Amino acid sequence: MVNYGIAILLLPLIAFVVQIFVGKRLPRNGDWVSVGAVALTLCMSLAMFGVMLVKYDPEFSVDGTWTWFDLGALEVQMGILIDNVTIVMLLVVSLVSTLVHVYSTTYMEGDVRYSRYFAFLSLFTFSMNGIVLANNLLGIYIFWELVGISSYLLIGHWFEKDSASDAAKKAFLVNRVGDIGMFIGIMLFFTATGSFLFRDVFAGVESGLLSTEILTVAGLCLFAGAIGKSAQFPLHVWLPDAMEGPTPVSALIHAATMVAAGVYLSFRLFPIFTPTALTIIAYIGGFTAIFAAIIAVTQNDIKKVLAYSTVSQLGYMILAVGVGAYTYGLFHLVTHAAFKAGLFLCSGSVIHAMHHAYHELHDHESDPQDMRNMGGMRDKMKTTYLTMLICTVALSGIPFTSGFLSKDAILAGTLSFTQHHPEHFLLVLFGFGAALLTAFYMFRLIFMTFYGEPARREVYDNLYESPLAMTAPLVTLATLSFFLFFTMPYFNPFSDHGWFTVLIEARDSVVPGHLNLTAHEIAEGMHHAHTPAMLLSILIAFSGIGLAVLMYLQKRISADDIAAKLALPYKFSLNKFFVDETYQRYLIDPSLALARMVAFFDWEIYDKYIVNGFGKVTEWFSRVVGIRWDYDILDQKIVDGVGRTTGFFSARLRLIQTGKVQNYLVWVLTGVIMIYVFQAI
């Protein structure tokens, strides 16, 4: 298993290196290298998944650890952890990555940076696999940063567009805020336990090496990284802007993998979170879920709707962690990966068709992503329509889909939590409210895009279904959105009991003092809350769909009239509650003003007067020393004086050197006589 894990990790890295150095020289710019590498990782992930199902062992775990460096007093160990969670996540990453790679061969065809695009896709896949495989906090952090770098490169792929380059920088900087907190949390745990390994950190926490207060702070610092990566309020602002990248990138990064990293981290570290930390996590997740859903209701850009939908669904997953149903948060991550990646790729198919139609009409001004420019497309793009409808139904949490299973479980966990803690009733309102809005805005998207009359007949006439390389991944992901793949070997569409819930077991908290409920107690509470949560979630989902039918399909209710009556809430929702503007005014602008002030002080005062002043003083001193002292005195008087004196005496000595032997004998004789005379005296 460890060898398989290492191979899965390294294959995308090899593809990245090949693409970077020789990709442009290979046939098809080397796209087959990247596609082949990730396809191999998918095959190996499927093999590992098959072994997991055959063994059917919830306790399965293989931990390979080695010493990275040893400085005597400091030894840092790295390694690979392969358990059931690792195998499931590897399968999710490799499956979505493979489908995105195949999809991109057509979607990105003709792009000027085609080879580089596939190189960065491979780098991203390598980084995500590293996060999943790491058995320690330091390893996760290293690959965490690599994910940030590769996502920056992919989001800014079309960097000649200011919006794309700005979105890439925004994603990079916002994630750094969360990553700083994560690094602080890692170092707090390392300082206390002396190790980065999960097992050592858990053992250290269980033995009481950290006080409850420090443990709460350290846990929330680690969770700050998840807030950034998983786009939770208030660090959610980067994700919608990241839609400026190519649509396959949106599917890969922002639907299934990168944003899921925070949820995965929260799952791994759940046992060390204190009740206080978990309560804060629950409120962040719940508020994010309802907040993003409200924004999605009024958006007209098809990718922006899906972006805020992703933020909302990630809020669901984080809410599950906070209320103790964290295994179902991971369950929703897995189910969500399929239908949300499918939705993004379907939107890419729609945008691709709209681009083609506008190109045929020589229209370079109209927005191919604006749903108000669409309508009636289901007859022209039947495969895209059907697959997007299936994925939408799954996201809305309708029975017989995977989304129903996971969302119902999260809502049951939330309901159970509030039964034990009635003071936190807002969490239930957040969860069920977001479910209502999700069903509404997703069917609003379906009706605006595929139903009604086309906005422009000439555009409609030039629409065509996407090629097989694009539609085949859609069919695959839509198929995986049904319940059967997650309830096997059972066939009950209203129960989440299946291979996932059996093999992915919840763990008890290791926080001293037994402050948290046990995994068994949480499971019992969810079991009792399952039926009312299910019935209520079904009712709410169909209510949201019914409202969308009345407003956007049958048009019995005017959306414009409601927008006019609710002008202020509508304005806030349409403008994303002015969060970006608030950050711009109260954080970014003051920071830029401070930077300009510091730059002015640095250049106009410090550099011009202090640094340049020292330079001028040194220059004057050097002139004084160089001209007056060095040249006039040292050089002219002393050095040249010594030279002249030496020349004078040497000239006199040359008078003695006649070259005649008899003269030298006379001088020798004279010297000998003088010696005798001095001795006699």
Side-chain angles (χ1 to χ4, degrees):
M1 282 287 189
V2 173
N3 292 334
Y4 269 56
I6 294 173
I8 290 172
L9 177 65
L10 294 181
L11 277 171
L13 178 62
I14 295 170
F16 164 74
V17 173
V18 172
Q19 285 286 69
I20 284 294
F21 288 102
V22 297
K24 289 185 177 181
R25 304 173 188 174
L26 298 175
R28 292 186 54 83
N29 286 327
D31 59 358
W32 53 273
V33 176
S34 295
V35 174
V38 296
L40 284 174
T41 66
L42 175 60
C43 293
M44 287 185 284
S45 299
L46 284 170
M48 294 172 69
F49 184 74
V51 171
M52 181 188 76
L53 293 181
V54 171
K55 288 187 174 187
Y56 220 69
D57 179 13
E59 302 296 329
F60 170 76
S61 180
V62 178
D63 194 339
T65 304
W66 61 86
T67 300
W68 187 20
F69 60 83
D70 188 355
L71 301 178
L74 176 63
E75 181 181 359
V76 176
Q77 292 181 316
M78 302 286 280
I80 288 177
L81 172 63
I82 298 178
D83 57 10
N84 294 337
V85 177
T86 304
I87 294 172
V88 172
M89 288 298 300
L90 285 176
L91 181 60
V92 170
V93 173
S94 61
L95 175 63
V96 176
S97 181
T98 301
L99 294 176
V100 167
H101 275 72
V102 173
Y103 184 95
S104 297
T105 58
T106 298
Y107 189 90
M108 298 299 294
E109 189 174 10
D111 190 89
V112 294
R113 290 179 291 275
Y114 187 79
S115 177
R116 196 181 77 163
Y117 170 82
F118 277 95
F120 294 154
L121 278 185
S122 299
L123 178 64
F124 177 86
T125 305
F126 160 72
S127 306
M128 271 304 306
N129 287 336
I131 290 177
V132 172
L133 287 164
N135 70 344
N136 62 95
L137 292 173
L138 182 61
I140 279 187
Y141 187 76
I142 292 171
F143 287 106
W144 195 272
E145 295 301 316
L146 281 174
V147 165
I149 293 171
S150 53
S151 64
Y152 164 79
L153 296 170
L154 287 168
I155 295 168
H157 177 73
W158 292 319
F159 56 80
E160 60 272 7
K161 293 169 52 183
D162 290 339
S163 58
S165 61
D166 290 343
K169 289 183 286 187
K170 187 176 184 178
F172 187 82
L173 292 173
V174 171
N175 273 277
R176 296 292 74 70
V177 175
D179 294 352
I180 291 172
M182 181 180 177
F183 182 77
I184 294 172
I186 290 173
M187 296 315 298
L188 285 173
F189 280 110
F190 178 74
T191 303
T193 64
S195 175
F196 294 109
L197 298 176
F198 292 148
R199 62 173 184 262
D200 294 340
V201 171
F202 288 3
V205 171
E206 191 171 17
S207 62
L209 293 179
L210 289 89
S211 66
T212 303
E213 293 76 15
I214 297 297
L215 186 56
T216 299
V217 172
L220 289 175
C221 284
L222 282 176
F223 181 69
I227 293 176
K229 279 289 188 290
S230 292
Q232 298 297 285
F233 182 88
L235 301 182
H236 68 285
V237 292
W238 68 270
L239 183 61
D241 288 6
M243 298 301 108
E244 290 292 338
T247 299
V249 171
S250 301
L252 179 65
I253 296 179
H254 311 292
T257 50
M258 175 182 172
V259 293
V263 180
Y264 172 76
L265 179 69
S266 302
F267 175 91
R268 281 293 189 197
L269 302 179
F270 176 85
I272 64 175
F273 289 129
T274 64
T276 302
L278 288 174
T279 302
I280 295 172
I281 290 171
Y283 272 97
I284 291 174
F287 179 78
T288 302
I290 189 71
F291 177 78
I294 293 172
I295 296 174
V297 166
T298 59
Q299 301 304 304
N300 295 309
D301 186 305
I302 189 171
K303 288 179 67 177
K304 285 289 179 69
V305 175
L306 296 178
Y308 280 104
S309 171
T310 299
V311 176
S312 181
Q313 297 304 306
L314 290 166
Y316 262 116
M317 302 172 202
I318 296 299
L319 172 63
V321 174
V323 299
Y326 71 106
T327 57
Y328 292 96
L330 186 71
F331 187 30
H332 194 53
L333 184 157
V334 175
T335 62
H336 177 263
F339 53 73
K340 182 53 64 71
L343 286 169
F344 268 108
L345 295 183
C346 285
S347 72
S349 179
V350 170
I351 295 167
H352 184 267
M354 293 291 291
H355 263 300
H356 178 269
Y358 286 141
H359 179 74
E360 292 295 319
L361 298 172
H362 304 287
D363 183 354
H364 304 292
E365 302 297 328
S366 300
D367 186 358
Q369 298 182 189
D370 195 326
M371 295 185 296
R372 292 170 296 184
N373 297 333
M374 302 174 188
M377 297 178 68
R378 71 181 189 278
D379 295 328
K380 287 281 190 172
M381 306 181 70
K382 294 181 179 180
T383 303
T384 300
Y385 161 69
L386 184 60
T387 53
M388 196 165 196
L389 179 62
I390 293 172
C391 293
T392 296
V393 170
L395 179 59
S396 302
I398 303 301
F400 300 98
T401 65
S402 60
F404 168 76
L405 300 175
S406 55
K407 184 177 288 187
D408 175 60
I410 293 174
L411 293 175
T414 306
L415 190 60
S416 173
F417 180 82
T418 54
Q419 288 174 346
H420 288 89
H421 306 280
E423 67 275 16
H424 300 306
F425 66 93
L426 279 177
L427 296 177
V428 173
L429 298 180
F430 289 155
F432 285 97
L436 174 67
L437 294 176
T438 299
F440 173 76
Y441 67 68
M442 285 307 304
F443 274 88
R444 170 181 177 264
L445 181 151
I446 291 293
F447 296 145
M448 289 183 68
T449 305
F450 296 102
Y451 286 80
E453 292 296 322
R456 292 170 60 184
R457 176 57 60 175
E458 63 274 19
V459 174
Y460 176 83
D461 293 336
N462 284 281
L463 291 175
Y464 299 98
E465 182 61 273
S466 299
L468 181 62
M470 294 177 65
T471 56
L474 306 185
V475 174
T476 302
L477 292 167
T479 304
L480 292 174
S481 299
F482 289 100
F483 76 96
L484 188 61
F485 296 95
F486 300 93
T487 61
M488 293 187 298
Y490 308 101
F491 300 92
N492 185 355
F494 297 97
S495 174
D496 53 40
H497 191 59
W499 64 266
F500 187 95
T501 54
V502 172
L503 295 177
I504 309 298
E505 287 190 326
R507 297 179 59 182
D508 292 336
S509 173
V510 297
V511 177
H514 304 288
L515 299 174
N516 291 327
L517 293 174
T518 64
H520 177 72
E521 291 171 333
I522 294 172
E524 282 293 314
M526 290 181 61
H527 176 72
H528 292 300
H530 173 74
T531 299
M534 178 184 65
L535 295 175
L536 189 56
S537 67
I538 293 174
L539 176 63
I540 285 177
F542 279 107
S543 298
I545 296 171
L547 184 59
V549 169
L550 292 174
M551 291 181 65
Y552 293 98
L553 183 61
Q554 299 178 352
K555 300 187 184 298
R556 295 183 183 181
I557 302 175
S558 174
D560 294 334
D561 290 345
I562 294 179
K565 292 178 182 178
L566 303 175
L568 187 60
Y570 178 81
K571 181 180 180 181
F572 271 89
S573 175
L574 184 64
N575 292 281
K576 300 163 288 186
F577 287 89
F578 299 97
V579 175
D580 285 287
E581 290 80 2
T582 302
Y583 286 170
Q584 186 72 39
R585 182 172 181 178
Y586 296 105
L587 289 177
I588 300 173
D589 287 346
S591 298
L592 292 175
L594 178 63
R596 285 191 290 268
M597 184 177 67
V598 171
F600 175 82
F601 177 81
D602 179 55
W603 176 250
E604 297 294 334
I605 297 177
Y606 181 77
D607 191 71
K608 184 177 290 186
Y609 293 103
I610 298 178
V611 176
N612 289 350
F614 275 113
K616 290 178 180 179
V617 170
T618 303
E619 183 184 9
W620 174 83
F621 185 75
S622 65
R623 287 177 180 174
V624 171
V625 173
I627 297 176
R628 296 183 180 181
W629 293 95
D630 182 60
Y631 184 76
D632 292 342
I633 298 176
L634 181 62
D635 190 66
Q636 294 292 315
K637 303 295 185 183
I638 299 177
V639 176
D640 288 359
V642 172
R644 285 192 294 270
T645 303
T646 303
F648 173 80
F649 283 105
S650 63
R652 298 300 178 272
L653 288 173
R654 286 180 65 85
L655 297 175
I656 302 174
Q657 294 179 325
T658 61
K660 296 179 180 181
V661 177
Q662 54 269 35
N663 289 344
Y664 296 150
L665 291 173
V666 171
W667 285 110
V668 170
L669 182 60
T670 303
V672 171
I673 294 171
M674 291 178 67
I675 291 172
Y676 277 111
V677 170
F678 281 116
Q679 286 181 342
I681 295 174

